Amino acid sequence: MAAQTDGIVNAEPAKRPPSYRPPRYLSFIVPGLIATLAVIVFPWLFTVWMSFHEWKIGGSRHWVGVQNYVTLAGNQRFLEAIIHTFYFTALAVILPLVLGTFAAVVFHRNFPLRGVLRTVFIMPMMATPVAIALVWTMMFHPQLGVLNYLLSLVGLPPSEWVFAKHTVIPSLVLVEIWHWTPFVMIIVLGGLAALPSEPYESALIDGATPWQMFRHITFPLVLPFLVVAGIIRTIDALKAFETIYVISNGGPGTASETINIYLYLQAFAYYNVGDASAVVVVFFGIIVALSLVLLYVRQRAKWT
Amino acid sequence: MTPGKPVQGRPVQSPLAYQARRIGGKLALGFSVVVLLAPCLFVFFWMLSLALKYDIDNTAYPPVFIPNPPTFDNFVHVFNESPMGLYFWNSCIVSGLATLAALVLGVPAGYGIAKARAHSLAVVMLISRMTPGLSYLIPLFTLFQFIGLVGTIWPIAITHMVITLPIVVWVMIGFFETLPAELEEAARIDGCSVWQAFLYVALPLARPGIVVGAILSFIYSWNNFIFGAVFAGRTTRTMPVAVYNMLTFEQYQWGPLAAAAIVVMLPVVVLTVVIQREIVAGLAAGGVK
């Protein structure tokens, strides 16, 4: 099963005559690689170097060693931003995973107009985030917004949405769920398409309920796909920017300020590039650490 | 009502109970489809509704759902009050250049990585996808500031390659891996160089993959906000930046805001419909978003 779900190496090359020398493909890769390295590695090295300086754009620059990191470790606002980021990420990963799996199971069934409806369903993940954030901003309006009106229709009290400290992050997550559930759906749908039909047939013969079939056949078989979706979602949720920046801009106060928003303000509102670079380094460390944990989970998911 | 035939192997049930279960299942499926699609459709519907209403209806409570009468004033307002045509053109240039460059560099790279099975190089591309866009911006901003390019269109187009290049490479790796190797090998035996085999054999076969890669990278470049937000000057704003700026100036003019949001998304919606089959076919499984 591991080889089947791997999907990278589809077919092993056939046996070659011993004299065959595989052609060299280096010349194909080099230009793209150089461009990638130029826009990735150069900024990286430069960032690390900057993070050891006290540096304001347009101002002076001098070497301060690890001072920026020490200050950061004691910076209450930054530590809160880390907590906000984890809170936001946890919700914005788990909920789309659950809903996306449900959507995939539904869209895996046959029903009239399935193709058209599926296209409609994936629209949110292609839509321009800033434009969508604008629409949600208008919908979240506590007095004139349509969401509070819809709540009143079903008899629920109005919410403050993004204008109160304790509801702002869940409200932003709502937008994130809306945006990215289709993405999870597509990946899981790919997994469902590859499922064998035999287990289902024997389960039917044994009189299994649909839920039992999902729990004991579908779920274990699509788990590797779910883990992939989970990894990508985690990375994207950690670095979510537009939704938060446009809708709440980190507010009210700093209640929804994530690492990314804090970073943006440090760098492009206060122009403290030295401090901001230190934030980038810490932030990237967090992303890599979390990705490694998830990759480890993925390996385990493959073998069980 | 005709009693349904029990599927072979199903435990024997009375035809009526089976029929009831079948109808129940259909209802549950229909209900699920409606529940899943409702939020998606509602947001787009509300966007359209806001854009087609006069402001007096937009700020009415309870909200007016169906524009009556519908008006195009908001769209006219958007194009009259701001150089939206120029911003649209900027976005076309930026995303067009970034996609073109990504194709020139990324298609051969994808081919090379797929043929040489150099998956560690593919990981380099993946890392670039993992890194937050902001973290490239500080050093690049400092660099472009130093060269004096901030405010022109060039830094935006160049930095958008951070988005477009990994997408093209990922799509092309997946695509070239599925192409049978025999054709190129035949060309090689006939005396073609590796590059000739690529140009005359593999490339024409890969046209569908190139189209998908190009459209996906165009869409994600078009949608990007942050690079433009940092690098753009007054005349070099891309669409998302221009629309965001409307928010800060016209907090309560919802009609024009929604109209502008629709204008930004129009090309994306069209392109998505064109390649929706490929998107669902699992291109996203490679980590392309």
Side-chain angles (χ1 to χ4, degrees):
Chain A
M1 199 198 98
Q4 190 187 44
T5 51
D6 207 325
I8 295 173
V9 181
N10 289 328
E12 285 303 313
K15 273 191 204 118
R16 311 267 184 223
S19 63
Y20 179 85
R21 288 189 52 227
R24 296 180 58 82
Y25 291 103
L26 205 61
S27 62
F28 288 91
I29 305 174
V30 167
L33 195 63
I34 290 176
T36 313
L37 294 182
V39 287
I40 294 170
V41 174
F42 156 71
W44 257 107
L45 297 175
F46 200 57
T47 302
V48 173
W49 185 71
M50 281 193 300
S51 74
F52 294 115
H53 288 80
E54 167 144 20
W55 187 345
K56 256 181 143 43
I57 289 184
S60 64
R61 158 174 67 86
H62 56 268
W63 179 270
V64 290
V66 293
Q67 187 55 45
N68 287 335
Y69 292 94
V70 175
T71 322
L72 209 53
N75 182 340
Q76 188 65 32
R77 187 169 165 188
F78 177 66
L79 297 178
E80 275 173 20
I82 294 182
I83 294 171
H84 296 155
T85 307
F86 282 148
Y87 178 35
F88 177 85
T89 302
L91 290 179
V93 171
I94 293 167
L95 297 175
L97 277 183
V98 173
L99 284 169
T101 309
F102 175 64
V105 171
V106 168
F107 279 101
H108 190 56
R109 301 275 297 273
N110 244 326
F111 54 86
L113 290 177
R114 182 174 67 158
V116 180
L117 295 178
R118 210 175 42 192
T119 307
V120 173
F121 190 72
I122 62 169
M123 261 324 166
M125 68 172 265
M126 312 305 281
T128 312
V130 171
I132 294 304
L134 280 182
V135 178
W136 280 91
T137 308
M138 298 186 250
M139 299 203 320
F140 279 140
H141 196 284
Q143 281 87 46
L144 305 172
V146 71
L147 287 183
N148 271 347
Y149 175 72
L150 292 180
L151 283 185
S152 75
L153 283 188
V154 289
L156 290 171
S159 169
E160 291 282 312
W161 301 109
V162 294
F163 296 91
K165 275 186 189 312
H166 59 285
T167 51
V168 59
I169 289 183
S171 304
L172 293 170
V173 167
L174 203 62
V175 183
E176 199 73 357
I177 295 171
W178 185 88
H179 244 304
W180 299 117
T181 296
F183 171 71
V184 177
M185 187 276 274
I186 285 179
I187 290 191
V188 178
L189 203 58
L192 288 176
L195 290 189
S197 61
E198 292 85 1
Y200 292 96
E201 285 159 13
S202 39
L204 267 178
I205 293 171
D206 294 343
T209 64
W211 168 251
Q212 284 173 326
M213 287 200 281
F214 175 79
R215 172 67 191 81
H216 296 288
I217 307 174
T218 311
F219 184 72
L221 287 176
V222 297
L223 191 59
F225 292 86
L226 268 176
V227 174
V228 169
I231 294 174
I232 297 174
R233 267 309 306 144
T234 306
I235 294 169
D236 286 348
L238 281 174
K239 60 181 201 182
F241 182 76
E242 281 100 336
T243 306
I244 306 173
Y245 181 72
V246 173
I247 297 180
S248 76
N249 198 7
T254 56
S256 62
E257 194 170 81
T258 59
I259 304 176
N260 223 359
I261 300 287
Y262 177 78
L263 176 56
Y264 184 84
L265 292 177
Q266 282 298 322
F268 298 107
Y270 313 138
Y271 292 113
N272 289 326
V273 285
D275 291 329
S277 298
V279 176
V280 171
V281 174
V282 173
F283 190 20
F284 192 68
I286 292 175
I287 291 185
V288 169
L290 263 180
S291 308
L292 287 179
V293 170
L294 289 168
L295 278 174
Y296 173 75
V297 173
R298 182 189 175 192
Q299 288 305 321
R300 289 192 42 140
K302 263 186 187 175
W303 299 120
T304 50
Chain B
M1 238 198 254
T2 51
K5 275 188 199 137
V7 178
Q8 206 177 13
R10 214 175 240 279
V12 183
Q13 301 175 316
S14 76
L16 204 65
Y18 173 66
Q19 195 74 6
R21 246 183 77 165
R22 235 176 62 125
I23 291 174
K26 272 196 176 160
L27 281 178
L29 182 66
F31 182 71
S32 311
V33 172
V34 171
V35 167
L36 284 171
L37 283 171
C40 163
L41 285 174
F42 182 76
V43 171
F44 287 119
F45 162 76
W46 192 241
M47 199 171 177
L48 206 60
S49 169
L50 286 170
L52 294 177
K53 282 184 302 204
Y54 290 103
D55 259 358
I56 192 153
D57 284 340
N58 275 334
T59 50
Y61 195 91
V64 178
F65 281 86
I66 308 292
N68 184 30
T71 167
F72 284 97
D73 280 8
N74 294 323
F75 290 92
V76 175
H77 176 95
V78 165
F79 279 92
N80 281 347
E81 299 293 303
S82 60
M84 206 42 89
L86 171 70
Y87 298 149
F88 199 89
W89 179 239
N90 286 341
S91 260
C92 289
I93 298 266
V94 165
S95 300
L97 280 179
T99 302
L100 203 66
L103 287 177
V104 170
L105 295 167
V107 174
Y111 180 75
I113 292 174
K115 291 292 159 187
R117 296 174 187 283
H119 294 300
S120 52
L121 290 175
V123 173
V124 173
M125 298 290 170
L126 193 66
I127 291 173
S128 71
R129 201 189 161 304
M130 278 167 52
T131 320
L134 263 173
S135 58
Y136 303 114
L137 271 170
I138 302 165
L140 290 174
F141 184 81
T142 320
L143 177 74
F144 286 123
Q145 180 96 338
F146 182 71
I147 309 175
L149 281 178
V150 171
T152 68
I153 207 119
W154 294 107
I156 313 176
I158 294 170
T159 46
H160 270 231
M161 278 177 60
V162 173
I163 308 156
T164 56
L165 195 56
I167 295 180
V168 169
V169 173
W170 267 107
V171 172
M172 294 323 291
I173 291 175
F175 203 85
F176 282 124
E177 271 177 347
T178 61
L179 279 189
E182 284 77 15
L183 288 167
E184 292 140 75
E185 278 166 17
R188 293 267 295 142
I189 289 165
D190 290 345
C192 280
S193 72
V194 213
W195 272 93
Q196 282 170 326
F198 167 70
L199 283 177
Y200 300 119
V201 181
L203 209 50
L205 289 173
R207 197 177 299 153
I210 295 174
V211 170
V212 173
I215 290 182
L216 276 179
S217 72
F218 189 88
I219 289 177
Y220 281 103
S221 161
W222 183 277
N223 283 348
N224 184 279
F225 166 71
I226 198 164
F227 294 92
V230 171
F231 288 120
R234 276 190 66 79
T235 55
T236 50
R237 280 178 196 146
T238 55
M239 282 297 277
V241 181
V243 171
Y244 174 72
N245 269 48
M246 287 191 62
L247 172 72
T248 45
F249 289 122
E250 314 196 9
Q251 198 80 50
Y252 288 101
Q253 285 204 299
W254 287 4
L257 267 180
I262 288 177
V263 175
V264 197
M265 287 198 2
L266 217 52
V268 172
V269 171
V270 172
L271 289 174
T272 303
V273 172
V274 173
I275 58 158
Q276 54 91 12
R277 201 172 294 276
E278 284 78 6
I279 297 174
V280 179
L283 276 171
V288 182
K289 187 178 66 183

